[in-house]
Amino acid sequence: MMTTAAAQANAVRFGVRTARETIEAAIETIEIRDSAYVSVTRLLAERARRMADAIDIRIARGEQVGPLAGVPFGVKDLFDVAGEVTTAGSVVLASDPPKEDDAIVVRRLIAAGAIPLALLNMDEFAYGFATENAHYGVTRNPRDTDRLAGGSSGGSAAAVAGGLVPIAIGSDTNGSIRVPASLCGVWGLRPTQGRLPLGGVYPFAASLDVVGPFAGDVGDLKLAFEAMDGRSLSDIPDAGGLRVARLGGWFEQDLVPALREGLDRLTGFLGISRIVELPEAARARAASFVITAAEGGSLHLPRLRTRPMDYDPATRDRLMAGAMLPAAPVIRAHRIRNWFREQVHALFEHVDVLIAPATVGPAPRIDQPTIMVGGKPVSARANLGLFTQPLSLAGMPILAAPLAPPAHEGASAEEQLPLGVQLIAAPGKEASLFAVATALSQAGLLGFPTPAPAPVHMSSSNSGNS
């Protein structure tokens, strides 16, 4: 069983286990388990071994090592890793030269002692909520390998949920951290927009792009975020002194009963009686669609003109549609974004943290990739972000957390699948999110067992490991 990042780092720092032993164990786990998940596209074994040996030498010399010393982490294949080609989940970039340096947040994790071990699967160019990748395979959910892991950072969430690595990093434009974290039963953070640097990260929609960590518990999530941020969250408040409210309206529709009941348990424990609504959430979601399509389409237009057949057909069609959008609706979408952001930020004059669902229900089946919205089945790839997309417009920090699994006996297999919530705060108030998340985790209301049980059957899909 994989231990937490914090425990692994402590074992390395205090000589219980070497960094090299930690890395070798993680490599073996990936080689055994990932054929069932298809979360890893490239294994960085030799570099990881060299970095682990260097950490062990420093410890033997009595030198100080970082808080994540020897901890392996996974990297969504959207981030530059020195010596590797950043493919962004596509074959379009596969012939590009290898990168000379790591992305800034990768460098910061390395500075904290963490070791990049694997590049992880994703929706092509981060455009989707399913990690159904036509080139590298469909990433399967470790909680049930017949189900989607979510996306676009599905490989990152699955790698943590499956016990391959204790932490991973991904990106979130419209929900690409929060959706897979919810479906896979792990923790994820979309920090305040602009707080973490995007240097060395392949863009999708620059107006909305954010990067952040995944982890198996809230403590590891905090450690990873602090390393990526380059500073400690020393100002975490008392959760009991925070004003917490629940989002209603748009965020109450289409929920499966177990998710509604889980939200009721959270609000009951916190003594929440206040329900607030975000104005024009449906319009905000539409604006996020337009902005994403327009900026993504514009970015890819030169390659779409010369290499259209190299794209995943579903991604290509959406990018081409975005490239053809006239200016007027794009301008209007940005006006809606500015207005919506002002309205949402005003809410935080009266509340510190908001609670909302992350998705409408559990992970959809791979052979039936739909969710129920308005009583009708709709595409999961396009609509799993129903509750994440509107919030992206406002640039706030949002922590995705898994509800604790049902405690009663006799729960069906579907009832035992992960369900996730979003904790939302004003810009720069990540500490408030960690305060509430930690309190709810300690109360046994948030948190899902990680890693998932070993897969009972092996997927026939090619994992792409090398």
Side-chain angles (χ1 to χ4, degrees), residues 250 253-255 285 360 370-379 383-384 386-387:
W250 177 265
Q253 63 182 8
D254 299 306
L255 304 183
R285 182 178 182 234
V360 298
T370 60
I371 58 173
M372 298 300 293
V373 175
K376 299 178 181 179
V378 298
S379 165
N383 291 285
L384 275 167
L386 187 73
F387 298 140

Side-chain angles (χ1 to χ4, degrees), residues 136-167:
Y136 302 104
V138 177
T139 294
R140 294 172 176 266
N141 194 319
R143 310 300 179 177
D144 179 348
T145 54
D146 289 329
R147 295 178 182 269
L148 293 170
S152 64
S153 306
S156 301
V160 173
L164 309 186
V165 288
I167 56 176

Side-chain angles (χ1 to χ4, degrees), residues 187 244 246 259-273 354-357 401-404 419-423 436-437 439-441 443-447:
W187 300 72
V244 185
R246 179 170 168 175
L259 180 52
R260 191 178 300 277
E261 292 165 7
L263 286 163
D264 289 343
R265 287 194 296 272
L266 298 186
T267 54
F269 174 81
L270 294 169
I272 296 172
S273 58
L354 296 168
I355 298 180
L403 289 171
L419 298 167
V421 299
Q422 299 179 90
L423 306 179
V436 173
L440 291 171
S441 177
L445 296 173
L446 294 180

Side-chain angles (χ1 to χ4, degrees), residues 1-3 7-31 45 48-57 59 69-72 115 117 163-164 166:
M1 294 288 285
M2 182 190 69
T3 58
Q8 288 187 6
N10 284 336
V12 169
R13 285 203 304 271
F14 295 113
V16 177
R17 195 182 200 191
T18 66
R20 179 62 178 263
E21 289 170 339
T22 302
I23 289 300
E24 292 295 351
I27 292 170
E28 182 179 9
T29 300
I30 290 172
E31 291 175 341
R49 289 175 173 130
R50 291 194 301 271
M51 295 179 71
D53 290 344
I55 289 173
D56 290 333
I57 290 170
I59 291 173
V71 174
I115 298 174
L117 181 58
L164 309 186

Side-chain angles (χ1 to χ4, degrees), residues 250 280-293 329 333 336 389-390 393:
W250 177 265
E280 300 284 2
R283 187 172 293 180
R285 182 178 182 234
S288 75
F289 265 123
V290 171
I291 292 170
T292 300
I336 291 171
Q389 286 170 296
L393 282 188

Side-chain angles (χ1 to χ4, degrees), residues 182-196:
S182 172
L183 300 186
C184 290
V186 299
W187 300 72
L189 178 68
R190 174 192 167 97
T192 302
Q193 186 158 6
R195 179 158 183 169
L196 296 185

